[in-house]
Amino acid sequence: MSAATEPQTSPVPLSTAPPGSLHTAPPLRRRRALDWRLRFASLSLIWGFSFLLIKVGTNGYAPFQVTFGRLLFGTLVLAVAIAWKRDRLPSGARTWGHLAVSALLLNALPFSLFAYSELTIPSTLAGICNATSPLWGMALSLVALSEDRPTRRRVAGLGLGFLGVLTVLGAWQGFHGLDAAGTTMALLASLSYPIGWIYIRRTLAGSSHSNLSLTGAQLLLATAQLAVVTPLFTTLPTHFPLVPLLAIIALGTLGTGLALLIQYGLVAEVGPTTAQMVTYFIPVIATAAGVAILGESLAWSTPVGAVIVLAGAALTQSRPARPAKPTRPKP
């Protein structure tokens, strides 16, 4: 978001926020040098490949170390952006307290859960589990947010989406061959995002600080949280495998830092409704990358279930068409 653009204060709908970010309404649109479609495609690829990068990173480092590196490099990218735009970090103990909670729910916890889950499940499954986040968000918002009313369309979308989850997991086979712990952690990670979004809407919606400032502070706090936790549960590596290290650097700089900057630019230019469509490309790219590059196996139920999940998520986010205003007959 440009430093010259005044931040808006009203919140964006729950599902439009990118994973691990704060969200307020988009600023006024401005033309960009790079066409938004190219940036949309780039964001889809970056977030889709993030699950592959997590898998590669955990091949050489502990999950907490992968998460700490991801947050550290992502924070550095946003710090550079804040300095470039001459923005400032937010002030006030109350704001920083709420940001500490959002850092846990939107960054430290879900990033760590995904890293641990990919020790035992394929990156393809982790990417598909991430696609359930809009479903969890809609279910929670119907309970926690008074402005979100249940409708037949939303209820049908939720039911269809969770049917897709059962299809992905092979419920009719008794979840045979599925690592329950890893899958549960991936699903809990996707659940953590909407919990964090609802918390932000209740506490920091209407903040006068810019999205860039708030998210930079949020990532900084999440990095500090992992800096405390990581030494308690891991030991310093005796050697540093190069390929996993490069994967972690790419995961932080591209999959966290740069991706958030691209996302905010898209929301500012084309609006949240169009920008949120990236959600439906992430599991497709994650699955393709896992199969093509990592050689992960793919049962028929995985892509079929993923399509059902995405269809349900899309249905929960759709809105019925407004009836056209009657036109007065000409005299």
Side-chain angles (χ1 to χ4, degrees):
M1 180 168 57
S2 172
T5 306
E6 294 182 1
Q8 303 295 307
T9 56
S10 59
V12 166
L14 179 68
S15 60
T16 65
S21 69
L22 299 173
H23 59 293
T24 55
L28 298 177
R29 299 183 184 183
R30 298 180 61 186
R31 293 185 64 85
R32 304 280 176 165
L34 188 62
D35 186 83
W36 73 267
R37 296 171 186 83
L38 295 177
R39 285 180 281 124
F40 183 95
S42 299
L43 184 61
S44 301
L45 288 172
I46 289 172
W47 272 339
F49 271 86
S50 292
F51 296 95
L52 179 149
L53 294 174
I54 293 172
K55 173 68 78 172
V56 174
T58 55
N59 286 336
Y61 300 92
F64 275 136
Q65 293 169 344
V66 172
T67 303
F68 173 70
R70 175 182 188 176
L71 289 169
L72 176 62
F73 288 106
T75 300
L76 292 176
V77 171
L78 290 187
V80 171
I82 290 174
W84 178 264
K85 295 180 180 296
R86 297 182 180 180
D87 204 347
R88 294 182 179 181
L89 291 177
S91 59
R94 177 182 175 276
T95 298
W96 280 89
H98 290 315
L99 287 173
V101 177
S102 68
L104 174 65
L105 294 173
L106 293 172
N107 301 118
L109 180 60
F111 289 1
S112 298
L113 286 172
F114 272 126
Y116 268 101
S117 73
E118 291 199 38
L119 291 176
T120 54
I121 67 173
S123 65
T124 55
L125 180 56
I128 293 172
C129 288
N130 180 72
T132 65
S133 190
L135 300 175
W136 296 119
M138 182 56 64
L140 291 173
S141 67
L142 293 178
V143 176
L145 300 175
S146 59
E147 64 267 29
D148 287 327
R149 301 296 183 183
T151 64
R152 292 181 180 179
R153 184 188 297 262
R154 292 180 175 182
V155 172
L158 288 174
L160 182 63
F162 287 113
L163 176 63
V165 174
L166 294 177
T167 303
V168 170
L169 302 182
W172 67 92
Q173 297 175 337
F175 307 104
H176 177 70
L178 185 71
D179 184 83
T183 305
T184 299
M185 284 189 285
L187 290 173
L188 288 176
S190 69
L191 173 61
S192 183
Y193 289 133
I195 293 176
W197 297 333
I198 290 175
Y199 178 83
I200 288 297
R201 285 184 67 170
R202 288 186 172 277
T203 57
L204 288 177
S207 172
S208 60
H209 302 288
S210 68
N211 277 331
L212 179 60
S213 172
L214 290 171
T215 305
Q218 177 185 302
L219 286 184
L220 177 62
L221 289 169
T223 304
Q225 292 169 355
L226 263 293
V228 173
V229 172
T230 301
L232 299 178
F233 295 93
T234 65
T235 57
L236 189 66
T238 56
H239 64 288
F240 296 87
L242 180 59
V243 173
L245 179 60
L246 293 176
I248 294 172
I249 295 174
L251 182 63
T253 56
L254 301 178
T256 303
L258 180 62
L260 290 178
L261 296 177
I262 295 175
Q263 171 74 6
Y264 290 135
L266 286 173
V267 172
E269 183 171 349
V270 301
T273 301
T274 300
Q276 76 170 346
M277 295 302 293
V278 71
T279 304
Y280 306 114
F281 291 88
I282 293 174
V284 177
I285 295 171
T287 300
V291 173
I293 299 176
L294 298 180
E296 295 177 344
S297 60
L298 190 66
W300 69 267
S301 58
T302 302
V304 171
V307 170
I308 299 175
V309 168
L310 295 177
L315 191 59
T316 62
Q317 306 307 312
S318 64
R319 297 291 184 269
R322 295 180 179 179
K325 294 181 180 180
T327 58
R328 295 181 179 180
K330 295 182 179 180

